Amino acid sequence: EISIERQRVEDARLEISPATYDIDPKMIEAQAGAFEDIFRVVQTLPGVVTPNDFSNQFIVRGGSPNQNLIIMDGVELYSPYRRNGMASVFNPAIVQDVKLYAGGFPALFGDRLSSVLAVTSREGTSKKWLAGRFGSSLTNANLVLEGKTGMWNGSWLLSGRRSYYDLFARDFVRDLGIVNDIAFPDFRDLQAKILLRPHPKHRLQFTGFYSKKNMDYHVK
């Protein structure tokens, strides 16, 4: 016997969409084979596929990658994908919330056909003057510094990442005498966020973002 029951939602203010998925930031760092890439975690969700095994672009319900609206802290990012499927521009160490609208998204995000990926970065700590963390993975190193501002109950956050395998790969390939054309992709990004609360009902937020990607070819 199978019994299906539905609970009535009394609060009309709740916005319910059957095609909305919340991604836990801890899942981004722990997902096997994702390489701390938000886009690769998104590719595992229902209705989402990838153009090929090497790209971190994603396709939602038969659309194309450029039909996805990708925003961070309310600001649209144009072409946030990296070449050769390297880690995305989003640093999982400073991500607070990730939400994918795979269909039926609000009118606020109505200028895309396929989906909306909304990423919110977390605030810096307001309890210490200085705190931080350092981490490394197979492809990159990650440094995060944060602290309080001392005025208006504010906080600041600074993060930086850089891939490092390209630093030794060139010499390694040269010593092996490999004659084929080999690409050495690398990336680096820097993100800063300052949050001030001059009044309990008001807040000022300043966000800065810098990202660079490069690819060198070794030809003999």
Side-chain angles (χ1 to χ4, degrees):
E1 179 181 356
I2 300 177
S3 176
I4 301 176
E5 299 179 358
R6 179 182 179 185
Q7 184 177 2
R8 182 187 177 109
V9 179
E10 300 294 343
D11 193 347
R13 296 172 300 175
L14 293 178
E15 181 181 338
I16 300 177
S17 175
T20 300
Y21 305 98
D22 292 312
I23 302 176
D24 188 348
K26 296 181 179 179
M27 179 182 177
I28 301 172
E29 297 181 315
Q31 180 77 23
F35 299 104
E36 299 183 350
D37 189 343
I38 291 179
F39 296 143
R40 294 194 180 277
V41 177
V42 170
Q43 292 173 0
T44 64
L45 298 176
V48 182
V49 297
T50 176
N52 53 67
D53 294 336
F54 302 99
S55 174
N56 61 355
Q57 296 181 339
F58 62 95
I59 297 173
V60 179
R61 303 186 188 279
S64 62
N66 60 4
Q67 293 177 349
N68 302 318
L69 174 63
I70 301 175
I71 60 177
M72 181 180 67
D73 292 342
V75 179
E76 180 178 356
L77 298 182
Y78 296 92
S79 186
Y81 309 104
R82 298 191 194 274
R83 288 176 292 185
N84 282 11
M86 293 187 296
S88 69
V89 297
F90 300 111
N91 188 347
I94 62 172
V95 170
Q96 175 180 327
D97 178 69
V98 180
K99 188 181 297 291
L100 175 69
Y101 300 90
F105 39 85
L108 177 64
F109 311 124
D111 59 347
R112 287 297 188 276
L113 297 177
S114 291
S115 70
V116 176
L117 181 66
V119 180
T120 304
S121 61
R122 67 178 179 85
E123 303 174 2
T125 179
S126 58
K127 298 181 180 180
K128 299 180 180 180
W129 289 104
L130 179 63
R133 57 173 287 189
F134 174 80
S136 63
S137 65
L138 183 63
T139 59
N140 64 85
N142 184 11
L143 176 64
V144 178
L145 299 175
E146 57 186 306
K148 59 181 181 180
T149 60
M151 61 177 294
W152 289 348
N153 191 26
S155 63
W156 59 272
L157 179 68
L158 178 65
S159 70
R161 288 191 304 170
R162 193 201 191 284
S163 59
Y164 51 75
Y165 53 83
D166 61 294
L167 300 178
F168 59 85
R170 298 184 185 93
D171 295 335
F172 179 75
V173 171
R174 188 179 298 110
D175 294 339
L176 291 178
I178 299 178
V179 297
N180 296 329
D181 296 353
I182 298 178
F184 301 100
D186 65 272
F187 71 89
R188 62 202 68 184
D189 53 51
L190 183 68
Q191 184 174 345
K193 182 176 183 179
I194 300 177
L195 180 64
L196 303 174
R197 300 179 179 87
H199 189 270
K201 295 184 178 181
H202 299 84
R203 54 185 285 168
L204 298 175
Q205 179 176 310
F206 304 91
T207 302
F209 181 75
Y210 169 81
S211 178
K212 180 180 179 181
K213 55 187 177 182
N214 187 36
M215 183 178 297
D216 295 333
Y217 285 90
H218 173 72
V219 182
K220 183 176 180 179

